[in-house]
Short mmCIF file of all heavy atoms in Angstrom, two decimals:
data_model
loop_
_atom_site.label_atom_id
_atom_site.label_comp_id
_atom_site.label_asym_id
_atom_site.label_seq_id
_atom_site.Cartn_x
_atom_site.Cartn_y
_atom_site.Cartn_z
N ALA A 253 -23.35 -49.79 19.64
CA ALA A 253 -24.53 -49.45 20.39
C ALA A 253 -24.52 -48.01 20.89
O ALA A 253 -25.53 -47.43 21.02
CB ALA A 253 -24.67 -50.43 21.61
N VAL A 256 -25.52 -45.81 17.95
CA VAL A 256 -26.89 -45.91 17.75
C VAL A 256 -27.71 -45.05 18.78
O VAL A 256 -28.59 -44.29 18.50
CB VAL A 256 -27.40 -47.41 17.82
CG1 VAL A 256 -28.86 -47.51 17.83
CG2 VAL A 256 -26.81 -48.13 16.66
N VAL A 265 -34.08 -35.15 19.80
CA VAL A 265 -33.94 -33.57 19.86
C VAL A 265 -34.45 -32.96 18.69
O VAL A 265 -35.11 -31.85 18.71
CB VAL A 265 -32.46 -33.29 20.23
CG1 VAL A 265 -32.31 -31.81 20.25
CG2 VAL A 265 -32.12 -33.78 21.63
N ASP A 287 -31.01 -21.03 17.13
CA ASP A 287 -29.60 -21.13 17.56
C ASP A 287 -29.42 -21.72 18.92
O ASP A 287 -28.58 -22.58 19.14
CB ASP A 287 -28.98 -19.73 17.59
CG ASP A 287 -28.80 -19.04 16.13
OD1 ASP A 287 -28.92 -19.86 15.23
OD2 ASP A 287 -28.72 -17.86 16.02
N GLN A 296 -25.13 -31.63 23.56
CA GLN A 296 -25.44 -32.95 23.91
C GLN A 296 -24.74 -34.04 23.15
O GLN A 296 -24.27 -35.06 23.71
CB GLN A 296 -27.00 -33.20 23.80
CG GLN A 296 -27.85 -32.37 24.79
CD GLN A 296 -27.50 -32.81 26.21
OE1 GLN A 296 -27.45 -33.91 26.57
NE2 GLN A 296 -27.19 -31.80 27.05
N LYS A 311 -12.13 -49.58 27.78
CA LYS A 311 -12.01 -50.93 27.22
C LYS A 311 -10.69 -51.28 26.66
O LYS A 311 -10.13 -52.37 26.83
CB LYS A 311 -13.09 -50.97 26.15
CG LYS A 311 -13.31 -52.34 25.52
CD LYS A 311 -14.47 -52.28 24.51
CE LYS A 311 -14.77 -53.69 24.01
NZ LYS A 311 -15.86 -53.67 23.14
N ILE A 336 7.14 -68.90 46.16
CA ILE A 336 6.27 -69.67 47.05
C ILE A 336 6.98 -70.85 47.58
O ILE A 336 6.81 -71.12 48.88
CB ILE A 336 4.95 -69.98 46.33
CG1 ILE A 336 4.15 -68.63 46.01
CG2 ILE A 336 4.19 -70.97 47.14
CD1 ILE A 336 2.90 -69.00 45.12
N ILE A 360 -1.69 -67.70 50.25
CA ILE A 360 -2.27 -68.90 49.80
C ILE A 360 -2.68 -69.66 51.08
O ILE A 360 -1.87 -69.82 51.99
CB ILE A 360 -1.14 -69.77 49.15
CG1 ILE A 360 -0.58 -69.06 47.86
CG2 ILE A 360 -1.73 -71.11 48.66
CD1 ILE A 360 0.69 -68.44 48.01
N SER A 367 -6.67 -81.06 50.30
CA SER A 367 -5.81 -80.68 49.21
C SER A 367 -6.50 -79.57 48.44
O SER A 367 -6.68 -79.71 47.22
CB SER A 367 -5.40 -81.80 48.29
OG SER A 367 -4.43 -81.45 47.46
N GLN A 376 -3.82 -55.92 54.00
CA GLN A 376 -3.47 -56.38 55.34
C GLN A 376 -3.67 -57.89 55.39
O GLN A 376 -4.77 -58.33 55.66
CB GLN A 376 -4.21 -55.62 56.46
CG GLN A 376 -4.01 -54.23 56.51
CD GLN A 376 -4.90 -53.51 57.61
OE1 GLN A 376 -6.02 -53.95 57.79
NE2 GLN A 376 -4.39 -52.39 58.15
N ALA A 379 -5.05 -59.79 58.55
CA ALA A 379 -6.47 -59.42 58.84
C ALA A 379 -7.41 -59.99 57.76
O ALA A 379 -8.48 -60.42 58.09
CB ALA A 379 -6.51 -57.90 58.80
N ASP A 398 -9.67 -79.93 59.95
CA ASP A 398 -8.79 -80.03 58.77
C ASP A 398 -7.50 -79.32 59.05
O ASP A 398 -7.52 -78.23 59.70
CB ASP A 398 -9.46 -79.49 57.48
CG ASP A 398 -10.57 -80.33 56.94
OD1 ASP A 398 -10.85 -81.39 57.58
OD2 ASP A 398 -11.08 -79.98 55.83
N PHE A 427 -2.38 -73.10 41.53
CA PHE A 427 -2.94 -74.05 42.52
C PHE A 427 -4.33 -74.54 42.04
O PHE A 427 -4.99 -75.27 42.92
CB PHE A 427 -3.02 -73.35 43.95
CG PHE A 427 -1.74 -73.08 44.42
CD1 PHE A 427 -1.18 -71.69 44.44
CD2 PHE A 427 -0.87 -74.06 44.95
CE1 PHE A 427 0.07 -71.46 44.98
CE2 PHE A 427 0.33 -73.83 45.50
CZ PHE A 427 0.85 -72.47 45.43
N ALA A 429 -7.00 -73.17 42.14
CA ALA A 429 -7.85 -72.76 43.25
C ALA A 429 -9.32 -72.44 42.81
O ALA A 429 -10.14 -72.51 43.68
CB ALA A 429 -7.27 -71.68 44.06
N LYS A 436 -13.80 -68.70 44.18
CA LYS A 436 -15.06 -68.71 43.32
C LYS A 436 -14.87 -68.06 41.86
O LYS A 436 -15.69 -68.36 41.06
CB LYS A 436 -16.27 -67.91 44.12
CG LYS A 436 -16.56 -68.45 45.41
CD LYS A 436 -17.11 -69.78 45.33
CE LYS A 436 -17.47 -70.33 46.78
NZ LYS A 436 -17.43 -71.74 46.95
N THR A 437 -13.80 -67.40 41.79
CA THR A 437 -13.51 -66.78 40.46
C THR A 437 -11.98 -67.03 40.06
O THR A 437 -11.27 -67.56 40.90
CB THR A 437 -13.77 -65.21 40.45
OG1 THR A 437 -12.75 -64.62 41.26
CG2 THR A 437 -15.14 -64.89 40.93
#
Side-chain angles (χ1 to χ4, degrees):
V256 169
V265 172
D287 291 342
Q296 291 300 312
K311 188 174 183 178
I336 291 171
I360 300 101
S367 194
Q376 297 177 330
D398 289 3
F427 294 104
K436 301 294 183 210
T437 67

